[in-house]
Amino acid sequence: MAVSGATERLMCLLMLLALFHETSSFYVPGVAPINFHQKDPVEIKAVKLTSSRTQLPYEYYSLPFCQPNKITYKAENLGEVLRGDRIVNTPFQVFMNIEKKCEVLCNFPNKPVTLTVEQSKLIAERIREDYYIHLIADNLPVATRLEFYSNREEEEKKKEKDVQFEHGYRLGFMDSNKFYLHNHLSFILYYHREEVEENQEPTYRVVRFEVVPQSIKLEDLKADEKGTCMLPEAAGSAPQEIDPTKKNQLLFTYSVHWEESDIKWASRWDTYLTMSDVQIHWFSIVNSVVVVFFLSGILSMIIIRTLRKDIANYNKEDDIEDTMEESGWKLVHGDVFRPPQYPMILSSLLGSGIQLFCMILIVIFVAMLGMLSPSSRGALMTTACFLFMFMGVFGGFSAGRLYRTLKGHRWKKGAFCTATLYPGVVFGICFVLNCFIWGKHSSGAVPFPTMVALLCMWFGISLPLVYLGYYFGFRKQPYDNPVRTNQIPRQIPEQRWYMNRFVGILMAGILPFGAMFIELFFIFSAIWENQFYYLFGFLFLVFIILVVSCSQISIVMVYFQLCAEDYRWWWRTFLVSGGSAFYVLIYAIFYFVNKLDIVEFIPSLLYFGYTALMVLSFWLLTGTIGFYAAYMFVRKIYAAVKID
């Protein structure tokens, strides 16, 4: 078994390296399978309640559902806590391969549950806000099957239906301004029979978990004292109404149906991970690759030919006087490496950018290999948090070395600035948003102990590592600039309108944003509409394209700036290279207006608060990539010319 498992992993890795020709190759199972025998209990747990309209998750028992004798919460990792997951046991009694026609959920079979006016109001409000309930069985999330005809004209000829799944199930529905609660759940569980020897008892594995929610009026559910009930025929049953102005009586019931499936355990997540159209991803990737590499070829050819001509002219010894009269980037050689204003802040931001770059690169690569799959609940966010802390040593090193290159001398203050500037802004915004979430009693609020733990990680891990990296970076030899800096700064001529900083940001941001905006749609859907994001292979390719496009745009923009005899390129390159963050902000506003149904103040505040953090991080990332590409380019071209 161990050999076959290793072979299977190797095959998956080879498939990944072959540019992921199938959707299933994006996922390598991250948890060990559980084998069930006949009549073994299969525990149904609740995760949370979510709504894309409010963006506020709630605990399962925040609503008056039936409770077990003892409520037990699962120990969660950091990512699950930050996501608002509160995994808890439920009173559903499900046994492997044992059918249940209809059973009353609560302890008193023939005594209905009475909802108070406050509870009825709360349920009605959650139904109005379009809340979904998320359950899991053997770590598989519950899904609701949606069937529809793809082509209405051929409906009579072809009766095949397209099937899609949505995560969780609706709490209820509204009809004519009345509220109806889904009080009966029909669980459909699929199992795969494992191959065993003749004398052994057969074992089963859960490979799919579906639910059909129904609303059935109390009078139509005929329950006896044993806890069994009779479901009415669909045509003759009335839904269970919840009147928010008075007390309501109802029964919570459920049924269990088992079906054998050919789906193997390793492929059981494919149902959930093929909800999006992979063809759109392929189209976007191919489109981005073609556009970026086509433009890259053109830009590289133009820049290289122009630079060769410039360097050849500048290096002609017999035409030195003519060369000195010309305008161009050589004329600012005595000022091009002049330290900019606020070198400490610049180096601190670039250090945080390096920290983000290392963290994102490792997370996407590891996730691409399947180690951070959706089955490992919360693993992606946990890994990202810890990696950002530990990457502080690289961020501090790069910031310290750059700070010394820019003639800085207060290294301790610079290290503190690097360790606290960006994380401080992130923590401040998150703390303010968390106060609003606390006020709504949502499970999305980070508990106080978790917040203290994050602060301890920041000051106990990240801060010392940044100081350590900064110390060695500051002690290391500064970057070797190929030309000396004049004592008196050169006067900068008046610049054309298209050399304006804001125009440069708009121009430089188009290409990187165009390369990744389709992928951005799927990322936003995963964050704000409770979808699974799993196509990390595509995301890794998009990240590489983003790095290439940011680098090239930055080089082109700094070349134009130096040709215009403006040597103040340090800050400008950093700001202009992050221009695609401006387009991400515009896209986020467009997504909010056109895709989401958020109308209340606090959900809107949460959306734009977290979007601001995303835009800030994206600006730091792309600005850092562009800055270092431009810095290497500037050092390269000035090292190639003879300076008297």
Side-chain angles (χ1 to χ4, degrees), residues 115-124 242-244 246 248:
L115 301 178
T116 63
V117 178
E118 289 77 14
Q119 291 173 334
S120 301
K121 279 183 182 177
L122 185 60
I123 288 179
I242 300 294
D243 190 341
K246 64 179 184 180
N248 292 273

Side-chain angles (χ1 to χ4, degrees), residues 73-367:
Y73 285 90
K74 171 186 168 290
E76 290 135 347
N77 57 39
L78 179 63
E80 288 175 316
V81 174
L82 296 177
R83 280 161 40 101
D85 293 357
R86 300 293 183 270
I87 301 176
V88 65
N89 61 329
T90 61
F92 295 106
Q93 300 290 323
V94 177
F95 300 94
M96 173 56 70
N97 212 7
I98 301 297
E99 301 269 329
K100 285 190 178 182
K101 295 292 184 185
C102 180
E103 193 163 306
V104 179
L105 189 58
C106 288
N107 293 331
F108 303 102
N110 52 2
K111 183 180 178 183
V113 176
T114 303
L115 301 178
T116 63
V117 178
E118 289 77 14
Q119 291 173 334
S120 301
K121 279 183 182 177
L122 185 60
I123 288 179
E125 185 182 348
R126 295 287 181 263
I127 293 173
R128 183 191 290 112
E129 292 168 341
D130 201 19
Y131 266 86
Y132 281 73
I133 299 172
H134 299 273
L135 306 175
I136 54 172
D138 188 28
N139 202 39
L140 267 184
V142 73
T144 306
R145 179 189 291 258
L146 302 175
E147 296 181 344
F148 58 93
Y149 289 101
S150 57
N151 192 340
R152 301 299 295 179
E153 294 177 0
E154 300 180 4
E155 190 173 324
E156 296 300 323
K157 302 176 186 176
K158 189 178 177 183
K159 286 287 184 181
E160 293 181 6
K161 295 179 180 179
D162 285 344
V163 177
Q164 284 190 353
F165 294 90
E166 63 179 7
H167 306 295
Y169 65 91
R170 291 177 183 270
L171 174 63
F173 60 95
M174 288 181 65
D175 187 19
S176 304
N177 289 326
K178 291 184 178 180
F179 303 95
Y180 299 98
L181 176 69
H182 285 141
N183 59 323
H184 177 82
L185 301 179
S186 298
F187 294 128
I188 306 170
L189 291 104
Y190 294 78
Y191 64 87
H192 181 77
R193 190 190 299 266
E194 296 298 306
E195 294 182 5
V196 293
E197 295 180 6
E198 292 183 7
N199 299 328
Q200 288 185 338
E201 187 181 352
T203 59
Y204 309 93
R205 290 178 180 175
V206 179
V207 293
R208 190 186 293 178
F209 182 28
E210 294 179 18
V211 66
V212 180
Q214 292 173 269
S215 182
I216 304 174
K217 199 173 181 180
L218 173 63
E219 289 75 14
D220 293 341
L221 284 169
K222 300 178 179 64
D224 58 21
E225 293 183 358
K226 294 181 181 179
T228 57
C229 50
M230 292 288 293
L231 288 176
E233 293 185 8
S237 64
Q240 174 63 56
E241 184 184 349
I242 300 294
D243 190 341
T245 61
K246 64 179 184 180
K247 293 182 179 181
N248 292 273
Q249 287 193 329
L250 71 155
L251 280 176
F252 287 104
T253 57
Y254 70 104
S255 59
V256 181
H257 175 62
W258 289 91
E259 285 190 22
E260 189 168 2
S261 172
D262 295 330
I263 299 172
K264 292 191 176 180
W265 186 88
S267 305
R268 66 179 190 160
W269 274 82
D270 290 356
T271 303
Y272 305 90
L273 303 184
T274 52
M275 296 184 189
S276 302
D277 191 358
V278 181
Q279 299 300 324
I280 297 175
H281 271 90
W282 274 118
F283 176 76
S284 69
I285 289 293
V286 172
N287 181 50
S288 300
V289 168
V290 170
V291 169
V292 168
F293 282 103
F294 178 71
L295 289 176
S296 301
I298 293 175
L299 291 175
S300 302
M301 187 172 65
I302 293 171
I303 288 288
I304 290 171
R305 289 187 64 180
T306 308
L307 277 174
R308 279 182 178 171
K309 187 178 178 182
D310 287 350
I311 292 169
N313 288 336
Y314 290 152
N315 287 341
K316 284 181 183 177
E317 294 182 359
D318 53 341
D319 291 335
I320 290 177
E321 293 182 3
D322 295 338
T323 306
M324 292 299 291
E325 292 175 3
E326 293 178 4
S327 62
W329 51 267
K330 186 184 177 184
L331 298 186
V332 294
H333 68 85
D335 298 278
V336 72
F337 294 109
R338 185 179 302 282
Q341 287 184 310
Y342 314 113
M344 184 185 294
I345 297 176
L346 178 63
S347 60
S348 299
L349 291 173
L350 289 166
S352 296
I354 291 290
Q355 206 171 340
L356 270 174
F357 178 82
C358 295
M359 181 266 285
I360 292 172
L361 181 65
I362 295 172
V363 165
I364 295 177
F365 185 75
V366 171

Side-chain angles (χ1 to χ4, degrees), residues 296-496:
S296 301
I298 293 175
L299 291 175
S300 302
M301 187 172 65
I302 293 171
I303 288 288
I304 290 171
R305 289 187 64 180
T306 308
L307 277 174
R308 279 182 178 171
K309 187 178 178 182
D310 287 350
I311 292 169
N313 288 336
Y314 290 152
N315 287 341
K316 284 181 183 177
E317 294 182 359
D318 53 341
D319 291 335
I320 290 177
E321 293 182 3
D322 295 338
T323 306
M324 292 299 291
E325 292 175 3
E326 293 178 4
S327 62
W329 51 267
K330 186 184 177 184
L331 298 186
V332 294
H333 68 85
D335 298 278
V336 72
F337 294 109
R338 185 179 302 282
Q341 287 184 310
Y342 314 113
M344 184 185 294
I345 297 176
L346 178 63
S347 60
S348 299
L349 291 173
L350 289 166
S352 296
I354 291 290
Q355 206 171 340
L356 270 174
F357 178 82
C358 295
M359 181 266 285
I360 292 172
L361 181 65
I362 295 172
V363 165
I364 295 177
F365 185 75
V366 171
M368 183 183 72
L369 299 179
M371 300 176 194
L372 299 176
S373 62
S375 63
S376 305
R377 211 173 292 277
L380 185 71
M381 197 171 289
T382 306
T383 306
C385 288
F386 277 98
L387 269 176
F388 183 78
M389 302 293 176
F390 288 110
M391 291 301 111
V393 67
F394 297 105
F397 181 86
S398 58
R401 192 174 184 193
L402 182 65
Y403 183 56
R404 187 176 180 188
T405 305
L406 298 178
K407 305 294 189 292
H409 56 275
R410 295 178 293 177
W411 75 270
K412 292 180 182 177
K413 189 176 179 182
F416 182 77
C417 187
T418 305
T420 56
L421 187 60
Y422 169 70
V425 172
V426 172
F427 188 83
I429 293 176
C430 288
F431 181 77
V432 172
L433 295 177
N434 205 49
C435 291
F436 284 98
I437 304 174
W438 261 333
K440 299 292 282 187
H441 305 289
S442 167
S443 65
V446 179
F448 185 73
T450 307
M451 199 171 287
V452 172
L454 286 171
L455 278 173
C456 291
M457 286 170 60
W458 179 14
F459 289 107
I461 300 175
S462 183
L463 189 75
L465 286 176
V466 169
Y467 262 90
L468 183 68
Y470 209 97
Y471 173 74
F472 285 106
F474 192 77
R475 286 190 61 187
K476 193 171 175 63
Q477 188 74 17
Y479 294 113
D480 184 27
N481 295 327
V483 292
R484 291 193 304 270
T485 301
N486 296 336
Q487 291 186 348
I488 302 173
R490 180 187 179 88
Q491 187 176 359
I492 299 170
E494 187 177 348
Q495 300 295 305
R496 299 289 184 92

Side-chain angles (χ1 to χ4, degrees), residues 49 58-67 119 122-124 126 131 133 171 181:
L49 284 72
Y58 287 95
E59 289 187 35
Y60 180 71
Y61 291 122
S62 64
L63 292 181
F65 294 124
C66 294
Q67 299 183 2
Q119 291 173 334
L122 185 60
I123 288 179
R126 295 287 181 263
Y131 266 86
I133 299 172
L171 174 63
L181 176 69

